[in-house]
Amino acid sequence: MLALSQVSNALPLWLLLGVAGAAFAWGFAAVWILLTALVGYAFGWYFVAPRLRAWSQAQDHVTLPQLLTGDTGKRLRGRVVLSAVVILFMAFLLGMSAYLPLLGQMVASVLPVSARAGVLVGISLATLCALWEATRVHA
């Protein structure tokens, strides 16, 4: 139940708006979004989650950073966490790349910047938030 709660809270609003907009614009052709989401949830639920839970219980770790840095020692712990943040940032950037023009227009409507500068401001803020969260977790 905790995992479902986390997933429902972690779903970004821009993704929901984008999916709703795609369904409105494409009509029934947007059903592939639903199918891929359901396949992804099923894969995570039945394949990834049981193995991850068994691994975390065997290592007596609770969080993913603890699992990733469990056997690395203090010297490599920072590098492992930083590489995980970089990988996560790249995955988010790839996922958001379709929405970057919309992000730029939204930031430009709020701040006195161009749409291109708005994209850079949005990406910079997301990067700073991710790095701040990573340093706060292991401080």
Side-chain angles (χ1 to χ4, degrees):
M1 201 50 113
L2 180 66
L4 290 176
S5 173
Q6 194 278 332
V7 166
S8 67
N9 289 328
L11 192 61
L13 179 62
W14 58 265
L15 182 62
L16 290 175
L17 292 173
V19 169
F24 181 76
W26 300 336
F28 191 70
V31 76
W32 66 270
I33 297 172
L34 174 65
L35 295 176
T36 56
L38 291 176
V39 168
Y41 287 141
F43 180 76
W45 189 276
Y46 293 109
F47 183 74
V48 175
R51 288 161 178 78
L52 189 59
R53 182 169 188 220
W55 183 36
S56 69
Q57 285 178 338
Q59 300 293 324
D60 197 28
H61 294 305
V62 178
T63 65
L64 187 59
Q66 286 176 333
L67 281 172
L68 292 174
T69 61
D71 297 332
T72 58
K74 287 189 175 190
R75 193 172 82 98
L76 291 177
R77 186 168 289 149
R79 291 180 183 175
V80 171
V81 170
L82 182 61
S83 66
V85 168
V86 168
I87 291 169
L88 185 63
F89 173 71
M90 295 304 290
F92 282 148
L93 186 60
L94 182 64
M96 290 177 27
S97 63
Y99 300 103
L100 289 178
L102 181 62
L103 172 69
Q105 291 173 0
M106 184 185 70
V107 172
S109 69
V110 175
L111 299 175
V113 295
S114 67
R116 190 171 287 182
V119 171
L120 294 175
V121 168
I123 290 172
S124 300
L125 289 174
T127 303
L128 289 174
C129 289
L131 292 174
W132 178 72
E133 187 64 28
T135 58
R136 192 175 70 118
V137 168
H138 290 287

